C-alpha cells in the first residue's frame, strides 16, 4: 500500500530510523498503521524501569507529533483527504508502534481519481 511505503520512508528520513515492517489497514475514515521493530536495543534496556518506559513513550510520541505536517501531506497525497487527528502509542515490551490517522471522510469516498 502506498501509505505504508510513505510512512516507512518518513520514518527513515525524519526519525532517522525505520521499522522492520509497516502494515496499514484502512477502516472507514481511518488508517491503522502497525510498525514492528521500532525500538533500539538501548531503549529495550531502558524500558526495564518504569521511568525509562515513560521517557521512551513520551519522547517517541513527541517525535511523531512533531512530524504531523509531513503526515498530513502524505494523507493528502495518497488519498486526497485531510488529516483530522493523529493517535499513537508504542509498546516498550514488543517494540511495536500503533498509529491511528483519522481522516475528514471515508478513504474510499474521495474524488481523487
Amino acid at each position: 500500500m502506498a501509505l505504508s511505503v510513505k510512512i516507512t520512508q518518513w520514518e527513515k528520513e525524519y526519525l532517522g530510523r525505520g521499522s522492520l515492517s509497516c502494515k496499514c489497514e484502512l477502516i472507514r475514515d481511518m488508517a491503522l498503521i502497525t510498525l514492528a521493530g521500532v525500538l533500539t536495543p538501548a531503549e529495550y534496556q531502558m524500558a526495564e524501569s518504569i521511568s525509562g518506559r515513560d521517557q521512551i513513550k513520551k519522547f517517541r510520541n513527541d517525535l511523531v507529533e512533531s512530524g504531523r505536517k509531513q503526515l498530513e501531506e502524505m494523507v493528502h497525497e495518497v488519498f486526497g483527504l485531510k488529516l483530522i487527528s493523529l493517535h499513537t502509542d508504542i509498546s516498550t515490551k514488543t517494540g511495536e508502534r500503533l498509529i491511528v490517522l483519522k481522516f475528514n471522510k471515508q478513504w474510499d469516498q474521495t474524488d481523487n481519481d
Side-chain angles (χ1 to χ4, degrees):
M1 166 179 278
L3 187 58
S4 295
V5 170
K6 288 193 172 294
I7 292 285
T8 300
Q9 181 181 357
W10 172 78
E11 282 186 300
K12 289 177 181 175
E13 291 174 2
Y14 185 71
L15 302 177
R17 177 173 196 277
S19 57
L20 296 177
S21 70
C22 178
K23 295 178 184 173
C24 182
E25 300 287 331
L26 297 173
I27 308 159
R28 295 182 312 270
D29 60 346
M30 296 177 286
L32 173 62
I33 302 155
T34 307
L35 303 157
V38 297
L39 293 180
T40 66
E43 287 171 320
Y44 278 114
Q45 187 172 359
M46 189 175 167
E48 292 175 8
S49 72
I50 292 172
S51 66
R53 284 191 294 274
D54 291 344
Q55 288 175 5
I56 292 165
K57 283 180 172 273
K58 178 167 180 12
F59 182 70
R60 288 296 194 117
N61 289 344
D62 288 350
L63 282 175
V64 171
E65 286 285 345
S66 72
R68 182 183 175 110
K69 182 165 178 42
Q70 292 96 331
L71 294 170
E72 288 175 352
E73 291 168 0
M74 277 186 254
V75 166
H76 188 267
E77 185 178 328
V78 174
F79 300 111
L81 297 172
K82 182 178 178 186
L83 181 63
I84 298 298
S85 61
L86 163 69
H87 309 274
T88 185
D89 195 16
I90 192 166
S91 170
T92 54
K93 189 172 277 191
T94 65
E96 180 178 70
R97 169 183 294 290
L98 294 178
I99 300 174
V100 178
L101 303 175
K102 182 130 170 71
F103 312 137
N104 63 323
K105 60 183 176 178
Q106 284 194 197
W107 65 271
D108 61 350
Q109 296 179 352
T110 64
D111 300 329
N112 191 20
D113 296 311

